[in-house]
Amino acid sequence: MKIALVNPISRSGQGYHTIGTRIPQLGLQVLARLALAAGHQVDIIDEIFATIDTEKRLAEGGYDLVGVTSYTSSATRAYEVAACCRTLGIPSIMGGPHAWAVPEEPAEHFDSVAVGECDEVWPQILADAQAGKLQNRYDGCFSELTGDRGAAAQGLHPLNGRYDVACIQTSRGCPIGCDYCSVTRFNGREIRRRDIGKIIEEWNSTDRKFIFVVDDNFYGVGPKHAEWAKELLRAIIKHGKRKLWFSQTSLNMGDDIEGLKLAYKAGCRAMLVGIESFNPKALAGWKKGLNVKIFDRYKEHVDGFHKAGLAVFGGFVIGSDEDDENTVADTALKAVQLGVDIIQITNMTPLPGTNLFDKLKAEGRLIATNYPKDWERYTFIETVYTPAKMTARRLDETIYELRKAAATQHWVLKRTLKSFWWTKSLTTTLFVNGMNGAWVSLAKGQVPHDEKRLGYTIVPCERTEKIRKSFNFRSGKLELPSVGGAAGTGSQEPGTETA
């Protein structure tokens, strides 16, 4: 068969899944490898490069099957792709986080829906499609990552573009289970590991010089997890080709001197860390118990990364029931005081399939409910529910103030020099410079949309002065509230989806 695998994006072209990224859709590369091994021909169409030619490519490609993965924000666009397939008479199937969360919805548009991890059921899907007997639904499972399972077709680029980096996954699952995140439900609470030898084999097979290790929690939360991570790092040092990379981890890794040094020696230059909030009540409300446990030692853990030469890419979520209109500014200022090299502040977004979505729906607080059209608004850049201590519009206005400052102030070089002072690593510093430059580009692209939607004029005040100070790095000493005492004003990051 000739198969097209499609990664759609939100029709608005806005959001963290659609702007400034040329990172592979790893789930499609994994399925592509399996299909290629079975003798099929596979093309990837990734709309992070462009959306305008997708329908034309499908019409002219002579495909026997179209597979689509989708985050929630791109589900509306996915259904347009499905409509195109039906017009062309091409069987189509949808998988990914959104199909897992609300499988009855894509079933109205696609010929088939794949629910959950599809490694084990994909060969059956291909066999059924080839026989003209595609079933309405396939249910995946938390499979053991033995043999080549989890490996991707590293050399396969989309028809409509070329990826800048490689993606590799060494494990799946996360035991933390934050209320706003779908990972623990989608991939399971247990961290399942791939064979280290197979990881190194895939590592050495890619021609990309930079790798994103997409694990949701590279280091894990206990001694057993940490030891496996360090065993992998030693194997990369000994047997892996020299490449630079970054991954995602929990803040507790900052306390493991050996692990941090091994990571740097293995080529790691930064970790995306879910710091989430400077408000212990917000953390507790999200069931972010690990961060509550080490809340008083945030600074020590960030310093630990820096001493090993690693940058901290800090993620923060804004919009908990503890947050108010001062939280965005407070978060930006405290993040600079903490020493975060790259700051990502996003709207708390209740993704379907999460505890947060279920809670807000039960409380009647969701305001973007015209599905499937309104799924396009679930992009981590717009408030789609009613916060407890402010209006949704007010929260969006305060985040706009931050984006406007990021887009108009000259701060990237200052941050670059700070990171070099902290890490003493040129390659780490160059990564920080590039990521912060990308954030400026994202902010510049988003600000006009914010201004059109909000029609909001920024009035200088204490809140905007804090934002200005954070970009000028005249921030003072970090002061955190007591875990056991009053929370005060809070601050946070997003619940991420994974394919």
Side-chain angles (χ1 to χ4, degrees):
M1 289 192 300
K2 188 176 183 182
I3 303 165
L5 298 178
V6 182
N7 178 40
I9 66 166
S10 168
R11 296 181 303 172
S12 68
Q14 299 176 52
Y16 283 88
H17 295 138
T18 62
I19 299 176
T21 175
R22 295 296 182 265
I23 297 175
Q25 217 305 329
L26 184 64
L28 295 187
Q29 287 188 322
V30 169
L31 296 184
R33 188 192 65 80
L34 293 171
L36 290 167
H40 302 288
Q41 182 180 343
V42 181
D43 291 331
I44 291 178
I45 301 172
D46 196 332
E47 292 193 337
I48 63 171
F49 295 99
T51 61
I52 56 174
D53 290 331
T54 299
E55 283 84 356
K56 180 181 178 182
R57 291 180 187 279
L58 292 176
E60 297 176 353
Y63 296 108
D64 303 297
L65 176 68
V66 173
V68 178
T69 188
S70 179
Y71 296 117
T72 291
S73 62
S74 55
T76 312
R77 172 59 182 157
Y79 301 151
E80 290 183 345
V81 174
C84 172
C85 291
R86 285 191 170 174
T87 298
L88 297 170
I90 307 173
S92 62
I93 182 169
M94 177 172 167
H98 191 75
W100 158 79
V102 287
E104 66 286 349
E105 183 185 273
E108 297 177 7
H109 303 270
F110 285 82
D111 299 307
S112 181
V113 178
V115 181
E117 294 184 13
C118 294
D119 306 70
E120 289 195 13
V121 297
W122 183 238
Q124 184 63 50
I125 292 170
L126 296 179
D128 290 349
Q130 191 164 25
K133 298 179 180 180
L134 197 64
Q135 300 175 33
N136 294 331
R137 172 168 171 160
Y138 296 87
D139 288 285
C141 62
F142 298 149
S143 60
E144 293 298 321
L145 300 179
T146 56
D148 288 325
R149 189 157 290 157
Q154 288 293 336
L156 185 61
H157 291 271
L159 294 177
N160 57 336
R162 188 168 181 83
Y163 295 127
D164 295 335
V165 303
C167 281
I168 288 178
Q169 187 172 49
T170 77
S171 67
R172 294 180 188 169
C174 180
I176 297 177
C178 305
D179 271 7
Y180 51 73
C181 183
S182 60
V183 169
T184 299
R185 284 192 182 184
F186 184 74
N187 291 121
R189 187 170 295 276
E190 179 184 353
I191 297 182
R192 290 165 289 139
R193 310 287 192 180
R194 289 179 59 198
D195 177 76
I196 288 178
K198 291 295 183 180
I199 296 170
I200 298 300
E201 184 178 308
E202 183 179 0
W203 185 281
N204 291 337
S205 73
T206 177
D207 62 352
R208 303 289 91 185
K209 299 298 183 183
F210 196 89
I211 294 176
F212 175 25
V213 179
V214 304
D215 299 32
D216 292 290
N217 195 328
F218 179 85
Y219 182 76
V221 296
K224 181 179 178 181
H225 295 160
E227 189 48 48
W228 188 92
K230 287 186 279 191
E231 183 181 353
L232 172 61
L233 293 171
R234 294 184 189 103
I236 293 173
I237 293 167
K238 187 174 182 178
H239 302 292
K241 290 183 179 179
R242 181 65 175 172
K243 299 178 186 295
L244 300 181
W245 57 279
F246 84 106
S247 188
Q248 305 173 125
T249 195
S250 44
L251 190 56
N252 59 311
M253 186 178 180
D255 202 31
D256 188 332
I257 297 173
E258 180 190 22
L260 293 168
K261 288 182 177 180
L262 285 171
Y264 186 85
K265 189 174 181 181
C268 182
R269 290 300 178 263
M271 283 287 182
L272 175 55
V273 179
I275 299 172
E276 324 299 13
S277 178
F278 293 111
N279 186 326
K281 284 188 176 180
L283 294 170
W286 287 326
K287 298 184 176 57
K288 191 80 176 181
L290 177 64
N291 283 28
V292 174
K293 184 178 179 180
I294 61 175
F295 185 82
D296 295 332
R297 299 181 60 224
Y298 268 11
K299 188 69 169 66
E300 293 175 40
H301 284 74
V302 169
D303 289 347
F305 283 96
H306 286 159
K307 289 175 183 176
L310 303 179
V312 175
F313 188 155
F316 299 87
V317 183
I318 305 292
S320 82
D321 285 351
E322 303 298 327
D323 293 346
D324 61 28
E325 64 181 38
N326 295 307
T327 299
V328 174
D330 287 346
T331 300
L333 189 61
K334 285 185 171 66
V336 170
Q337 293 169 344
L338 186 61
V340 175
D341 301 89
I342 307 154
I343 302 170
Q344 177 179 281
I345 295 178
T346 57
N347 300 63
M348 186 177 80
T349 301
L351 301 169
T354 64
N355 294 333
L356 178 64
F357 183 91
D358 296 342
K359 175 179 180 289
L360 294 179
K361 182 179 180 180
E363 294 173 355
R365 293 168 61 186
L366 296 176
I367 58 177
T369 57
N370 181 23
Y371 309 129
K373 184 178 185 302
D374 274 353
W375 292 130
E376 293 185 298
R377 300 170 62 185
Y378 286 64
T379 55
F380 307 113
I381 59 171
E382 178 184 353
T383 307
V384 294
Y385 66 98
T386 302
K389 295 184 178 180
M390 61 190 135
T391 64
R393 177 185 172 85
R394 191 70 185 121
L395 176 53
D396 286 346
E397 288 172 349
T398 60
I399 292 184
Y400 161 70
E401 292 171 349
L402 180 75
R403 287 198 195 104
K404 182 72 171 181
T408 56
Q409 295 192 35
H410 301 289
W411 59 275
V412 174
L413 179 58
K414 295 178 184 178
R415 167 56 66 199
T416 299
L417 294 174
K418 281 273 190 180
S419 294
F420 184 69
W421 175 259
W422 288 327
T423 66
K424 307 298 188 296
S425 169
L426 179 59
T427 47
T428 297
T429 303
L430 291 173
F431 175 82
V432 170
N433 186 76
M435 292 300 293
N436 281 325
W439 187 36
V440 170
S441 297
L442 186 150
K444 286 181 177 179
Q446 186 58 39
V447 160
H449 295 286
D450 291 340
E451 292 174 342
K452 182 179 179 180
R453 177 168 63 93
L454 298 172
Y456 174 62
T457 301
I458 296 175
V459 178
C461 60
E462 182 181 352
R463 183 181 61 253
T464 58
E465 175 62 15
K466 284 183 179 179
I467 292 175
R468 189 190 67 81
K469 286 174 63 178
S470 69
F471 283 105
N472 287 329
F473 306 105
R474 300 190 187 99
S475 52
K477 183 180 179 181
L478 176 67
E479 295 182 4
L480 296 176
S482 169
V483 173
T489 302
S491 337
Q492 310 52 257
E493 170 236 358
T496 56
E497 293 178 301
T498 56

